[in-house]
Amino acid sequence: MKNRLKINSLLNLVISCIIFILEIMPDSVKIVSLTEPNNVSEVEYVSYLMEPNMLLQGIAFLTYFIALSTIFIIIFNAVNFYKENNKLTIMTLVGNSLCLIGSMILIALKREYVTIHNVIIMVMYLALIIITAINLRLSLLQKKTFDSREE
């Protein structure tokens, strides 16, 4: 069971690193703006860590939040890989859930800004939540069996 926890923790770390790579790619978010003289749509592709002056209807705040949360999730997963801790696993689960909600909001409300990266990132966050929940369950089962052996 402990070996399965390590494999799941490593998988969490790898997936969260892949998510961050997708987020910093320069074509992660599509910005659509209208030019005034002739009302032509201008499309620009940027990363999740876009310039702060691009606060277009809250999209920059949302993508910043998701990208910065991903950095913390990577740190939590790295620490959790070396030293299993249920509190850290719960924090990772909450962070993944917040990022999934942010990704869903981004896709649901800002359809004109959605790229395939956004959909892949959302699905990967869902996978992270499932794997983290399995890790937490395995860890709690391991602790329960260890405690019952001591009695």
Side-chain angles (χ1 to χ4, degrees), residues 41-52:
S41 295
E42 186 179 307
V43 178
E44 179 183 356
Y45 291 93
V46 294
S47 73
Y48 270 52
L49 294 169
M50 64 180 78
E51 299 172 18

Side-chain angles (χ1 to χ4, degrees), residues 19-31 44-50 63 106 113-119 121:
I19 288 174
F20 187 67
I21 290 169
L22 286 174
E23 288 173 351
I24 62 173
M25 289 179 81
D27 56 348
S28 296
V29 179
K30 180 171 65 171
I31 304 291
E44 179 183 356
Y45 291 93
V46 294
S47 73
Y48 270 52
L49 294 169
M50 64 180 78
T63 57
L106 182 68
Y113 300 121
V114 174
T115 63
I116 192 69
H117 285 88
N118 303 117
V119 177
I121 288 169

Side-chain angles (χ1 to χ4, degrees), residues 1 3 7 11 21 35 46 62 68 93 98 118 131 151:
M1 192 177 307
N3 193 21
I7 291 171
L11 189 60
I21 290 169
T35 57
V46 294
L62 190 58
L68 292 178
L93 187 62
L98 289 174
N118 303 117
I131 294 170
E151 293 176 358

Side-chain angles (χ1 to χ4, degrees), residues 65 69 73 76 90-100 125:
F65 172 77
S69 296
I73 289 169
F76 293 158
I90 292 171
M91 286 173 50
T92 305
L93 187 62
V94 169
N96 288 332
S97 300
L98 289 174
C99 288
L100 177 66
Y125 274 123

Side-chain angles (χ1 to χ4, degrees), residues 66-101:
I66 294 170
L68 292 178
S69 296
T70 305
I71 293 171
F72 287 114
I73 289 169
I74 290 171
I75 293 169
F76 293 158
N77 282 332
V79 171
N80 207 14
F81 177 70
Y82 290 108
K83 185 176 190 298
E84 282 292 325
N85 187 347
N86 287 341
K87 292 177 184 176
L88 201 56
T89 305
I90 292 171
M91 286 173 50
T92 305
L93 187 62
V94 169
N96 288 332
S97 300
L98 289 174
C99 288
L100 177 66
I101 291 170

